[in-house]
Amino acid sequence: MRDVLREFYGFADFRENQEAIIKNILQKRDVFAVMPTGGGKSLCYQLPSKLLKGTVVVISPLISLMKDQVDAAIENGFSAAYLNSSLSVDEVYSIYRRIHAHSLELLYVAPERVAMAHFFETLRTVPIALFAVDEAHCISEWGHDFRPDYMGLSAIAVNFKDIPIAAFTATATAQVQEDIIRKLGLRDPFVVRASFDRKNLFYRVEKKIDVEKQVLRFVREHAGVPGIIYRATRDSAEVLSNFLSKNGIRALPYHAGLSAEERTRNQNAFSKDEADVIVGTIAFGMGIDKSNVRFVIHADLPKHIEGYYQETGRAGRDGEPSECVLYYTPGDAYKIRYFINQVEDEAERLTSEAKLAKMILYASANVCRRRQLLGYLGEKYKSQNCGTCDVCVGVYELRDITTDAQIIMSAISRTGQRFGRLYIIDIVLGKGTKRVTELQHDKIKTFGAGKHKGKDYWRAIFDELLVQELLVQEGDKYPVIKLSQHGKSVLFGKESVMANMRPEIRADIVQQVSRTEAGSHFEEFDHGLFERLRALRRGIADEQEVAPFIVFSDKTLHEMCRYYPTTIDQLWNINGVGQLKIDRYGDEFIKEIKGYLEMNPDIRMQYK
């Protein structure tokens, strides 16, 4: 295993969980693995193809993802191919000949292909080493991206009883995990739930004011680096893309309203660094394997945290510092809720409402972003300060809000814990609405106790108390707010409440803090050499007709720019440089590094 890892991938060690997963696959045991984007899932099913007899069949949902992964596998020294609708008839026949000749280590196919009777019969006639199901959450109706085509995959376990199945996904709640295992028919699988914590990502939320100008300012401050911007609708994606282009940004749109040819062309331009920014709807992303995306912006509120987490996970897949920014206004939530209310199935509607409520809390509560994300995904974040979100780096001020919390709680208690948030805020603000006066709640002691502060302030306090579980929300259609046991302790003065409250602060200062903190945990590198190596990589990629990151990742180039390898032996010690890539590109990169050092003789050398 380690020999293959070093020779074909150029890595000295496995990442967390990879070795255990591969060992179980080699023992022909089914596997279910939840690993975050950038956690190294593809290596877990690619590497065994060098050690097992037969072809590893990888079931992947999108054509573009297949192409990038096959290109990368071939670059690393694997015999790999894909079968999908983008191929000509002659190309399909050629792949079938390679299948029958047992000459493919990796074969990527779409779930629709697996459902075809003739393809299924073909698989019966050749040795299969493993079925790997990528993006396995697509089979679960409880997940955020259910796809009916995945349902046909349940036939694999029935018809290939002796072939192991490995299912991978970046996001799955406990309910989704159970659903995937049942529907795929996994047999006593080895289960891995890796940490969802992406330490290289910096999370922050900005108040959405003039989002086009806000995005333009951010992108200009990150000039020349790849980024993804998500918008809620096709029109807004198109408008923002055009706005950025008119202001000198190399931006392209991606949404379902474009032709398939234009979507493919735009995505390829982004993959090959011919465009810096893609402005897309959620239709964009699952098919992108680009490792050096340095930022992901959500210019509109996502519908749920699962989707938000997966979309932000497309930043920094190479492990280098990257930013995730959400521009939020409560108006976005009202728009989403309007469409949720049109859903006829009550169970589906209530589930969507509950997920939206969690997303709103994330965007509005000034509590560690990382802790909220991980908590939703069932993982408890142990540290008190993550150091890589806007809340934890001190953009917010820690304040004692005990008195204001007691005002809210008193109003809830004195009205019998039977009302929702907006009604309680009306009481606190002293609004004598018809309902308040009819129920005589304008007579209670807390009426008007908070009129010296605005409605937005009390909403923020409410969010804090809900996140800290001092208040609980019960009911789905018409939720009411009640006190938790912890909350009662605060109300009766036994405990105090601290919260991070946002002062008025310039956005550029916030951005500077986030950039500084995001990079503070990572080693610096020689930026002048990096630009030269990046240009060399781009030229090689153009000749090979592949994306530049497939030649070498940014992370590998950064390491070259720390240690300045000038011999093959030194290059061999750089992570991500395998034997095949040394044979192909080693001399060119060593020559470039030597030339740079000759021009900069004062550089102090260090070797890895």
Side-chain angles (χ1 to χ4, degrees):
M1 286 168 53
R2 290 186 174 276
D3 288 346
V4 173
L5 182 70
R6 189 66 193 87
E7 180 177 354
F8 292 93
Y9 292 95
F11 299 138
D13 293 300
F14 288 103
R15 296 186 192 178
E16 187 177 5
N17 298 305
Q18 286 180 329
E19 187 171 8
I21 290 170
I22 294 168
K23 281 182 176 177
N24 277 273
I25 288 173
L26 295 179
Q27 292 166 5
K28 298 193 173 181
R29 184 178 177 185
D30 287 355
V31 169
F32 175 79
V34 184
M35 300 172 73
T37 303
K41 293 187 292 291
S42 60
L43 184 144
C44 292
Y45 54 76
Q46 288 180 355
L47 189 149
S49 71
K50 289 288 183 184
L51 301 171
L52 291 171
K53 181 182 179 181
T55 300
V56 172
V57 178
V58 184
I59 298 151
S60 182
L62 292 176
I63 290 174
S64 53
L65 184 64
M66 290 185 206
K67 184 181 186 309
D68 282 348
Q69 289 207 347
V70 167
D71 286 346
I74 291 171
E75 279 289 308
N76 283 332
F78 290 79
S79 59
Y82 58 83
L83 270 176
N84 60 42
S85 58
S86 72
L87 301 178
S88 67
V89 173
D90 288 343
E91 288 172 326
V92 170
Y93 282 141
S94 174
I95 301 301
Y96 270 97
R97 283 195 293 272
R98 294 179 68 187
I99 294 171
H100 287 295
H102 307 170
S103 65
L104 279 177
E105 293 170 323
L106 293 163
L107 175 64
Y108 285 74
V109 297
E112 301 92 326
R113 177 78 54 174
V114 178
M116 295 178 181
H118 71 277
F119 179 73
F120 215 74
E121 290 307 311
T122 296
L123 295 183
R124 290 176 178 275
T125 66
V126 296
I128 303 297
L130 169 72
F131 286 97
V133 181
D134 205 2
E135 309 291 354
H137 61 273
C138 292
I139 200 173
S140 174
E141 294 178 79
W142 300 104
H144 63 280
D145 194 25
F146 171 65
R147 299 192 179 197
D149 297 322
Y150 266 70
M151 295 300 290
L153 303 184
S154 59
I156 294 174
V158 176
N159 290 276
F160 295 88
K161 298 184 186 298
D162 298 324
I163 309 299
I165 302 170
F168 298 87
T169 180
T171 52
T173 61
Q175 183 182 37
V176 171
Q177 173 178 318
E178 182 181 335
D179 201 30
I180 294 169
I181 291 173
R182 180 175 55 82
K183 286 180 176 173
L184 284 177
L186 301 185
R187 299 143 296 196
D188 184 30
F190 173 70
V191 176
V192 166
R193 286 189 69 87
S195 172
F196 291 104
D197 188 12
R198 298 282 306 284
K199 292 181 175 62
N200 62 312
L201 301 187
F202 188 100
Y203 300 99
R204 65 186 175 90
V205 178
E206 288 290 325
K207 187 176 181 181
K208 185 175 174 180
I209 302 171
D210 186 338
V211 77
E212 290 183 358
K213 291 181 179 178
Q214 288 173 292
V215 169
L216 177 61
R217 181 169 61 246
F218 181 94
V219 173
R220 280 179 169 166
E221 291 174 347
H222 294 71
V225 301
I228 301 172
I229 302 168
Y230 284 104
R231 301 242 48 184
T233 66
R234 302 176 188 180
D235 288 345
S236 58
E238 193 76 39
V239 168
L240 181 55
S241 176
N242 289 337
F243 174 77
L244 293 176
S245 295
K246 288 176 182 177
N247 282 277
I249 306 298
R250 296 195 306 168
L252 292 171
Y254 189 104
H255 54 77
L258 303 174
S259 67
E261 293 77 13
E262 190 170 1
R263 288 199 303 273
T264 299
R265 186 166 61 249
N266 290 355
Q267 180 159 318
N268 287 342
F270 183 59
S271 292
K272 293 181 178 181
D273 291 345
E274 295 167 1
D276 293 327
V277 175
I278 283 285
V279 186
T281 60
I282 59 171
F284 179 78
M286 191 183 290
I288 187 68
D289 202 34
K290 188 175 174 67
S291 65
N292 63 335
V293 174
R294 293 278 75 92
F295 63 84
V296 170
I297 293 173
H298 282 81
D300 301 297
L301 185 72
K303 296 176 183 177
H304 40 66
I305 286 181
E306 295 104 318
Y308 175 73
Y309 176 82
Q310 188 161 41
E311 287 149 17
T312 56
R314 286 157 194 154
R317 292 169 63 104
D318 55 8
E320 297 292 277
S322 305
E323 290 190 66
C324 305
V325 183
L326 167 61
Y327 293 104
Y328 171 66
T329 176
D332 285 349
Y334 299 143
K335 294 174 187 175
I336 297 172
R337 195 172 279 118
Y338 171 80
F339 289 105
I340 290 175
N341 290 336
Q342 312 306 309
V343 176
E344 294 183 2
D345 184 282
E346 185 176 9
E348 182 182 346
R349 186 174 65 254
L350 293 177
T351 298
S352 297
E353 287 174 353
K355 288 184 175 183
L356 176 61
K358 292 287 188 181
M359 190 69 239
I360 293 170
L361 268 181
Y362 171 85
S364 56
N366 302 330
V367 176
C368 173
R369 312 292 178 195
R370 192 174 304 276
R371 179 175 295 163
Q372 289 189 76
L373 287 176
L374 298 181
Y376 181 86
L377 296 166
E379 181 178 342
K380 187 172 182 179
Y381 189 70
K382 296 178 182 178
S383 174
Q384 292 300 309
N385 188 312
C386 78
T388 46
C389 81
D390 53 351
V391 175
C392 289
V393 299
V395 169
Y396 294 80
E397 294 176 354
L398 188 64
R399 299 179 188 171
D400 187 327
I401 62 165
T402 305
T403 300
D404 290 338
Q406 289 170 333
I407 290 173
I408 293 265
M409 292 173 177
S410 177
I412 294 169
S413 178
R414 291 172 186 275
T415 55
Q417 302 188 69
R418 296 185 293 112
F419 299 92
R421 178 167 71 166
L422 296 180
Y423 184 80
I424 297 299
I425 290 176
D426 280 346
I427 290 173
V428 169
L429 290 173
K431 290 189 175 182
T433 64
K434 182 179 179 182
R435 191 178 183 207
V436 168
T437 53
E438 283 178 351
L439 295 173
Q440 297 189 7
H441 287 151
D442 55 336
K443 304 289 193 293
I444 66 174
K445 186 177 180 180
T446 323
F447 182 78
K451 60 184 178 183
H452 58 293
K453 293 178 179 173
K455 191 172 186 178
D456 287 344
Y457 175 80
W458 291 110
R459 280 177 172 167
I461 296 296
F462 242 112
D463 289 339
E464 289 293 330
L465 300 181
L466 284 166
V467 169
Q468 295 190 38
E469 298 182 347
L470 300 172
L471 303 179
V472 292
Q473 187 168 279
E474 294 184 358
D476 293 312
K477 192 170 184 180
Y478 301 107
V480 299
I481 305 294
K482 296 188 176 183
L483 304 180
S484 67
Q485 283 301 121
H486 188 193
K488 291 176 183 177
S489 295
V490 172
L491 176 60
F492 297 124
K494 296 178 180 178
E495 293 185 47
S496 60
V497 187
M498 304 298 291
N500 290 296
M501 304 301 291
R502 183 167 200 145
E504 291 302 317
I505 188 167
R506 289 186 8 241
D508 58 334
I509 295 176
V510 176
Q511 290 169 359
Q512 184 59 48
V513 168
S514 65
R515 282 198 300 277
T516 301
E517 289 295 328
S520 65
H521 304 287
F522 297 85
E523 294 181 69
E524 192 50 80
F525 57 90
D526 188 323
H527 291 265
L529 178 57
F530 177 70
E531 291 304 321
R532 288 184 58 160
L533 296 186
R534 188 161 71 162
L536 173 60
R537 180 183 64 177
R538 173 69 182 274
I540 292 171
D542 288 345
E543 290 177 11
Q544 300 285 339
E545 296 185 341
V546 297
F549 65 86
I550 288 174
V551 177
F552 283 126
S553 71
D554 276 11
K555 186 172 186 176
T556 297
L557 294 191
H558 289 168
E559 196 164 306
M560 292 182 193
C561 297
R562 293 186 190 106
Y563 298 108
Y564 305 97
T566 55
T567 67
I568 292 297
D569 286 343
Q570 290 170 2
L571 193 61
W572 178 253
N573 288 325
I574 300 296
N575 270 303
V577 183
Q579 186 60 56
L580 191 64
K581 290 189 177 182
I582 281 181
D583 294 342
R584 287 179 175 173
Y585 316 126
D587 290 340
E588 290 180 82
F589 277 83
I590 285 173
K591 181 180 177 182
E592 192 69 31
I593 294 167
K594 282 182 175 179
Y596 181 79
L597 291 173
E598 288 172 3
M599 294 176 62
N600 299 272
D602 294 333
I603 290 176
R604 297 181 65 182
M605 305 288 289
Q606 59 174 328
Y607 300 110
K608 187 177 180 184

